[in-house]
Amino acid sequence: MPHHFTSEELRAWLRLSLEPGLAPAQARQLLAALGLPQQIYQSSASALARHIPADLAAQLAQDAPDELQDAVGQAMAWLEHPRHHILTLADPAYPGGLLDLHDPPLLLYANGEPSILRRPGLAVVGARSATQSGQETARDFAGALAAQGWCIVSGLAAGIDQAAHQGALQAGPQGAGTVAVMGTGMDLVYPSAHRDLAHRIAEHGLLLSELPLGTRALPHHFPRRNRLVAALAKGVLVVEAARQSGSLITARLAGELGREVFAIPGSIHSPLSRGCHALIRQGAKLVESAQDILDELSAAAPDQPDLPVRAAQVAAHASSVPEELRPILERIDFAPLSPEQLLRRTGLLATELPAVLAELELAGCIEALPDGRFQRLKP
C-alpha cells in the first residue's frame, strides 16, 4: 500500500473506480470539481447532482452496497503482498505519460517494481502470429535497447509482444527492464501460456493493468490496453504487422500523442510486412537496427560501444552447417522464397530440394512459413 495514503483514502479511490454505472469520465469530472474521492463521498446528493445524474448522485451519497464493499476488500487484501501496488491519479508514482491521454485511468494495479516507470520507455509491438524471424528481431531489438537504458513496454500478447519482453529480460539486471500492460485483471494472465513469463516480469520488471481484479480477457479491453502502451513510451517500434493489425492502432495513438513511430521493413511478399510498410509511407521512421532508434531518440551515451556486429555470428552460424550445404544456404536470403524460386537459385533438382530444406530447417538455418515459402533465419 502506498505510504502516503491511509487505508480509508485508498478504499475511497477503489470504490470510485468500481462504482457501478459511474463512467470514468464522470469520475474525473467529480475529482476536478470536488477534490479527492473521500471528499466526493462526503458530499451531499444535491452537490453531486450538479455534476452527474441525480440517481447516480443518490447512489454515491449512500453507503456502498455489500457487493461493492466486497470488491474493495478483495483489492485491499491483494495489496497486502509486498510487490502489489495501486497507483492513483494523485500518486507521485503515477506515470506522467498517461496524463497525456484524454482518459487517463483513475488508478492502476501494479505487480513488481513501480520505480521502473520512471525510466524512459520504448514500446515494441507487432503481430501475434509473428514468424520466427520476426520474433528474433523483436527479441534482439528489445535486448539491445534495454541494455542501453530503455525500458521495453508491450502487451504480453503472443508473438512480438512475448519476444520483446523476453529480450528485455535477457538484458539482465543491468538492463532497464520491461513493463507488460495487461488486458485482464492483475490476478489473471492472458494468454494463460504466458503465466511463467508474467511471473518473471513481476519479479524483474512490472505488470500493469487498469482493470479490476477478476476481469477476464474481452476483445474491447485490448484497444484500451494499447493506448496505455503508447502513452507509457517515448516511441513505438512495430515489428511485423498485417494491414489491419491492432499494432497499427497503437502506432496511430502514439503518433497522436506526439511519440515517435518506428517500423521495420520486410519482404514485399509477406502479409506481415504490409502494416509496417503502410506506417513507413505515412511517415514512420524506417529502422534496420536498434542503433537507428537510439540515434533518433538521442539516447545513446557517447562513451557507449557500438552495438554488436553480426558478421562474426553469421560466420559461426554457417560453420555449423554441413560443408556441402553451405553454398546452398548462401543462395537463400532473408526474404521468403517459394520452392520454385529456391530451385532456380540453388540449381537443385525438384527431387533433391525437400531433403536439403529439411536438413537446413533442422539445423535452425531456415524457417518454413505457413504459405509454403521458406525464409533464412538470422543467427
Side-chain angles (χ1 to χ4, degrees), residues 33-74:
L34 301 174
L36 295 173
Q38 271 194 308
Q39 296 168 293
I40 292 172
Y41 285 112
Q42 291 167 358
S43 300
S44 65
S46 59
L48 293 167
R50 298 191 188 101
H51 310 284
I52 55 176
D55 57 342
L56 197 54
Q59 173 183 308
L60 268 66
Q62 298 172 357
D63 291 338
D66 291 344
E67 185 175 354
L68 181 53
Q69 289 189 39
D70 289 345
V72 170
Q74 180 186 7

Side-chain angles (χ1 to χ4, degrees), residues 129-348:
S129 56
T131 64
Q132 183 178 339
S133 176
Q135 292 178 62
E136 289 175 352
T137 297
R139 199 173 292 116
D140 289 347
F141 269 71
L145 291 163
Q148 295 286 349
W150 287 89
C151 176
I152 302 302
V153 182
S154 201
L156 201 61
I160 298 301
D161 287 21
Q162 175 186 13
H165 292 306
Q166 290 170 338
L169 291 170
Q170 287 170 4
Q174 293 76 30
T178 186
V179 173
V181 185
M182 302 170 67
T184 63
M186 188 56 69
D187 53 338
L188 301 173
V189 175
Y190 180 85
S192 59
H194 288 181
R195 190 171 288 114
D196 288 345
L197 175 60
H199 290 164
R200 289 175 59 207
I201 294 171
E203 184 176 353
H204 302 290
L206 186 68
L207 300 172
L208 206 61
S209 178
E210 67 176 318
L211 298 170
L213 298 177
T215 304
R216 298 190 176 276
L218 294 173
H220 67 274
H221 292 163
F222 297 101
R224 293 188 59 76
R225 174 205 62 187
N226 292 351
R227 89 193 196 286
L228 301 186
V229 171
L232 286 168
K234 302 294 185 185
V236 174
L237 170 65
V238 183
V239 185
E240 289 193 340
R243 196 180 294 275
Q244 301 301 321
S245 170
S247 304
L248 302 191
I249 298 175
T250 308
R252 176 179 57 79
L253 292 170
E256 291 173 356
L257 291 168
R259 280 37 169 185
E260 298 287 352
V261 179
F262 306 99
I264 296 178
S267 168
I268 61 171
H269 303 291
S270 172
L272 292 178
S273 297
R274 290 174 186 161
C276 292
H277 292 172
L279 288 174
I280 292 168
R281 285 194 296 272
Q282 294 163 14
K285 295 177 175 63
L286 184 156
V287 294
E288 298 175 313
S289 70
Q291 191 67 49
D292 291 340
I293 296 174
L294 294 171
D295 291 342
E296 189 67 37
L297 295 174
S298 300
D303 57 346
Q304 289 286 349
D306 291 337
L307 294 175
V309 178
R310 304 287 298 181
Q313 294 172 300
V314 172
H317 193 239
S319 68
S320 67
V321 179
E323 186 71 31
E324 65 274 14
L325 295 184
R326 290 181 200 170
I328 295 173
L329 180 61
E330 291 306 313
R331 296 188 182 102
I332 302 174
D333 60 27
F334 296 98
L337 297 171
S338 68
E340 293 78 14
Q341 290 172 311
L342 288 168
L343 285 171
R344 290 196 298 269
R345 288 195 176 201
T346 62
L348 293 170

Side-chain angles (χ1 to χ4, degrees), residues 1-7 10 79 84-88 91-92:
M1 183 185 303
H3 297 300
H4 50 277
F5 283 142
T6 67
S7 174
L10 200 49
L79 270 176
H84 292 177
H85 311 271
I86 286 178
L87 311 177
T88 76
D91 195 316

